Amino acid sequence: MDVHISLVGRRNLSGEIYRQLRTAILEGRLRPGDLLPPTRELARSLSVSRTTVTVAYDRLTGEGFVTSRVGAGTWVSEHLRAPRGQGRSGREGAIRPRPLWDALVVPTPFVPPARFDFRTGLPDSTLFPYEAWRRLIARQFRPDAAGRGVYGDPAGHRGLREAIVRHLGVARGVQASADEVVITNGTQQALDLLARALLAPGDRVAVEDPGYPPPRWLFESLGARVAGVPVDREGLVVDAIPRHVRCVYVTPSHQYPLGMPMSLARRLALLAWAERHDAVIIEDDYDSEFRFRGQPIEPLQSLDTAGRVAYVGSFSKTLLPTLRLGFVIAPPSLCKAVRKAKFVADWHSPLQVQAALARFIDSGGFARHLRRMGAVYRRRHELVTGILARDFGGRLEVIPSAAGLHVGVIAPGATADRARDLVSRSARLGVAVQELSLFGIAPPARAGLVLGYGAIATGQIAEGLRRLRRCFEEMEAADRSSMPAREEALHPA
């Protein structure tokens, strides 16, 4: 292992080598079992005598930091357990980030997994076609297929952009050319590129309330002013969009987190509003591939005749979130700016993975995979909504939805605090759900839950919901037992 040691301007060379190696061991940069360079090799790289290095090694050996054996070398002692997270001897440093980053709490909702996992945003990883994908990736890492190690187009692999346009044209009615597509590292980067291309510090952005929090944090981090717009059973309330909004972010096909689609009348009203106010609509079509009944919801992008809609999609729900592959279809007037923003951000996403996905789509593998997943998720959707309607009557009201990987439920007459208590009680029984108030912006927070069915096995749904109902019953029993005490306090003898 190469070890960086600086002797510039130092006098006690042997002592300096000892000190820097000892610090690296204590801070965990050199871990137990790591092999140190041979004394002759390290002496040559530092331009010092071998004796100088040997003295330092002997001192480390005598103090138990390293172990040596003739013919085997010198390595960090196995019994050491260096303190973690110290870095620079535990000094915090004087440089401070912008206040926004101190206030932002990044959630870690996906680890560790619960036994009965009803959290949103997770597909079933057991359904991923691992063997087919392994063969596709292996094919792309042959010398004649890997682009010979040169940088590519910031917009992404041409074959994948063409495959996405063909797929969306058939499956979603999206009208675009490959030149309007930029491949991104998931939806979040797609939003970042659009924001870089569109927004200046101080510009106003409207988002759904309740809605998906990360886009809101992203816009704020770039200096935009974010306004929440209420959502009703028809979707975003267009008449409630505040003045001087430059951009609106919406999830019209399957509102996140409530689950209902935006009505046609509301979609047309939003498009008309954008044209009147010279604004842009960012349409996040995040899990529209999974529709279980009714007519497909026509994307805003396909209804747009004025070039006001930027369409964002992702393969995180249809394949795996860890692939980090998404895309943005920008209006022609924005294409060059979004492509340049991608170049500035990270030049391009991994080309071999893009090429593998292009082949997967073109071969029909992606369509077959979607049909297989759609059948599984349809069954889970029916099971979850059926059990909620049958066993939670009066406690939870299911918001009608016909697509996606989650359902939203309202708790009539309850408070957000009570929903939060229910989530905590459920967690103790191995059931992970999310309270609706997590996604709200403006008070008062709605009382309810969001239940995903992507990550939980079909055979676990009934037991998980049975445990959730048990939590309701325990809370209601506790309420009944406390009633006499409250009555006594109100009406003492």
Side-chain angles (χ1 to χ4, degrees), residues 322-407:
T322 48
L323 290 180
R324 305 311 304 139
L325 278 179
F327 58 90
V328 54
I329 299 177
S333 58
L334 279 181
C335 290
K336 288 183 179 179
V338 173
R339 181 178 176 274
K340 291 176 182 178
K342 174 63 175 175
F343 171 76
V344 169
D346 62 0
W347 200 316
H348 59 70
S349 300
L351 293 175
Q352 288 86 355
V353 179
Q354 293 184 53
L357 180 54
R359 194 172 187 86
F360 189 52
I361 295 174
D362 286 339
S363 67
F366 185 59
R368 290 191 295 273
H369 175 65
L370 288 180
R371 286 194 295 271
R372 179 188 175 208
M373 293 180 74
V376 173
Y377 293 146
R378 178 192 300 272
R379 172 60 181 147
R380 293 179 187 177
H381 178 272
E382 293 172 350
L383 195 57
V384 168
T385 54
I387 293 175
L388 288 173
R390 184 190 69 204
D391 296 342
F392 290 79
R395 297 185 177 102
L396 294 175
E397 176 186 333
V398 180
I399 300 172
S401 70
L405 299 181
H406 74 269
V407 295

Side-chain angles (χ1 to χ4, degrees), residues 48-366:
V48 300
S49 71
R50 186 183 180 190
T51 301
T52 299
V53 176
T54 301
V55 170
Y57 276 28
D58 287 345
R59 187 174 174 186
L60 291 167
T61 302
E63 294 180 4
F65 288 102
V66 300
T67 303
S68 299
R69 189 166 67 245
V70 176
T74 303
W75 61 91
V76 180
S77 297
E78 295 282 358
H79 68 274
L80 290 179
R81 291 293 179 267
R84 301 177 62 183
Q86 291 298 313
R88 294 194 174 219
S89 303
R91 291 180 294 171
E92 183 178 349
I95 301 174
R96 303 301 302 164
R98 291 165 50 203
L100 165 77
W101 299 110
D102 286 329
L104 178 63
V105 178
V106 178
T108 54
F110 304 126
V111 289
R115 182 180 176 188
F116 302 94
D117 198 345
F118 289 100
R119 291 172 295 180
T120 62
L122 292 171
D124 191 336
S125 61
T126 66
L127 300 178
F128 183 75
Y130 290 99
E131 284 304 309
W133 190 255
R134 180 185 59 79
R135 291 192 295 270
L136 290 167
I137 287 291
R139 183 188 185 102
Q140 296 307 320
F141 277 93
R142 297 183 315 193
D144 62 340
R148 299 193 183 278
V150 298
Y151 291 108
D153 187 339
H157 187 277
R158 180 75 188 187
L160 178 57
R161 289 185 282 140
E162 292 173 346
I164 287 172
V165 166
R166 286 192 295 271
H167 169 73
L168 290 176
V170 173
R172 298 291 292 127
V174 169
Q175 302 171 26
S177 71
D179 292 332
E180 297 169 22
V181 180
V182 173
I183 306 300
T184 65
N185 299 325
T187 296
Q188 198 72 355
Q189 188 183 48
L191 300 177
D192 181 75
L193 301 183
L194 289 167
R196 289 170 186 258
L198 287 167
L199 302 176
D203 281 350
R204 201 168 195 185
V205 179
V207 299
E208 296 166 315
D209 183 13
Y212 185 45
R216 182 171 79 245
W217 303 333
L218 169 65
F219 297 139
E220 289 175 347
S221 75
L222 295 175
R225 296 177 297 143
V226 178
V229 180
V231 175
D232 63 18
R233 291 185 178 271
E234 290 189 67
L236 184 85
V237 180
V238 176
D239 291 340
I241 299 175
R243 298 177 60 190
H244 308 303
V245 163
R246 170 70 174 140
C247 176
V248 179
Y249 168 77
V250 289
T251 54
S253 293
H254 184 229
Q255 202 278 334
Y256 190 92
L258 297 179
M260 70 286 181
M262 182 183 288
S263 69
L264 177 59
R266 200 65 66 81
R267 280 178 278 150
L268 295 174
L270 180 58
L271 289 168
W273 173 91
E275 192 163 0
R276 286 197 310 273
H277 293 86
D278 191 24
V280 180
I281 302 168
I282 300 178
E283 177 180 17
D284 184 351
D285 207 26
Y286 68 100
D287 62 1
S288 60
E289 292 88 352
F290 305 119
R291 174 156 292 279
F292 311 127
R293 64 176 183 272
Q295 295 294 323
I297 301 299
E298 195 167 12
L300 288 165
Q301 195 271 357
S302 66
L303 297 172
D304 177 28
T305 59
R308 294 286 174 185
V309 177
Y311 181 93
V312 171
S314 167
F315 295 95
S316 293
K317 307 298 183 294
T318 53
L319 292 173
L320 284 178
T322 48
L323 290 180
R324 305 311 304 139
L325 278 179
F327 58 90
V328 54
I329 299 177
S333 58
L334 279 181
C335 290
K336 288 183 179 179
V338 173
R339 181 178 176 274
K340 291 176 182 178
K342 174 63 175 175
F343 171 76
V344 169
D346 62 0
W347 200 316
H348 59 70
S349 300
L351 293 175
Q352 288 86 355
V353 179
Q354 293 184 53
L357 180 54
R359 194 172 187 86
F360 189 52
I361 295 174
D362 286 339
S363 67
F366 185 59

